[in-house]
Amino acid sequence: MFQGEGILIKHLQTLTEAARTGALESAKRIGKIEVYTDATQKRIIREMGGCEKEGECDVDTLQNIGAHFGVTGRVVQLEGVYIATLSLYDVKKGSFIERREAEGKGIRELRKNVQKKTAELILAGFRAAARNKQAGGGGGYWAVGGVVAVA
């Protein structure tokens, strides 16, 4: 789930849906992506004991489902422009691997850009995982704000 101080929950939810759509676009190109619905994600969080605030349990959720890599989003509004930072990170190490930013003058424009940037980030991440696998490492289990993929 996207997070953002002062951003309406419904806007964060629609950005999460845009990220899921971007992941599905990547799936058409590379396959192996399973998308969890919002209801499934909420069930997983409920089974974990819940979260006080929307989006604050992303890392715990990723760890509990066994993800090695994850993508999360954070939104801010600066000088009338919405900026979403999408972060690809190694869940086990807690380190960032790569980031992308998407901008929009409104939520609708930002939504389109989040979808595109999520697809780009996942493709870049899968390429890195494939290189790691060829070098003797694992491909890993992926999660993207409710989206899960097996590399």
Side-chain angles (χ1 to χ4, degrees):
M1 171 59 94
F2 272 71
Q3 296 180 34
E5 196 73 29
I7 308 295
L8 295 174
I9 293 289
K10 67 181 182 180
H11 291 164
L12 297 173
Q13 290 170 335
T14 194
L15 293 171
T16 298
E17 289 302 320
R20 288 181 175 126
T21 301
L24 287 171
E25 288 178 7
S26 292
K28 291 176 190 173
R29 297 175 72 186
I30 58 177
K32 301 181 183 181
I33 294 181
E34 201 179 304
V35 179
Y36 280 24
T37 65
D38 186 53
T40 301
Q41 184 176 354
K42 286 179 180 176
R43 179 185 51 77
I44 292 168
I45 291 170
R46 198 172 44 251
E47 289 171 358
M48 287 173 27
C51 295
E52 289 184 30
K53 285 175 55 179
E54 192 82 32
E56 76 175 8
C57 294
D58 289 343
V59 174
D60 291 339
T61 303
L62 295 170
Q63 289 172 339
N64 285 338
I65 63 173
H68 295 119
F69 306 101
V71 176
T72 59
R74 184 157 201 78
V75 183
V76 296
Q77 188 177 20
L78 297 171
E79 300 175 2
V81 176
Y82 290 97
I83 303 168
T85 303
L86 300 160
S87 301
L88 169 65
Y89 61 95
D90 183 313
V91 175
K92 293 183 183 208
K93 292 180 182 176
S95 60
F96 290 109
I97 298 168
E98 194 162 337
R99 286 183 151 172
R100 295 278 196 282
E101 283 192 353
E103 292 186 8
K105 292 180 182 175
I107 295 297
R108 186 176 291 184
E109 182 181 350
L110 179 61
R111 188 178 179 0
K112 288 179 189 175
N113 292 331
V114 161
Q115 183 176 329
K116 178 182 173 186
K117 294 295 183 177
T118 300
E120 288 176 11
L121 192 61
I122 290 173
L123 287 171
F126 269 99
R127 287 185 189 115
R131 285 191 300 272
N132 183 42
K133 197 172 191 174
Q134 288 173 347
Y141 187 59
W142 289 76
V144 183
V147 179
V148 176
V150 179

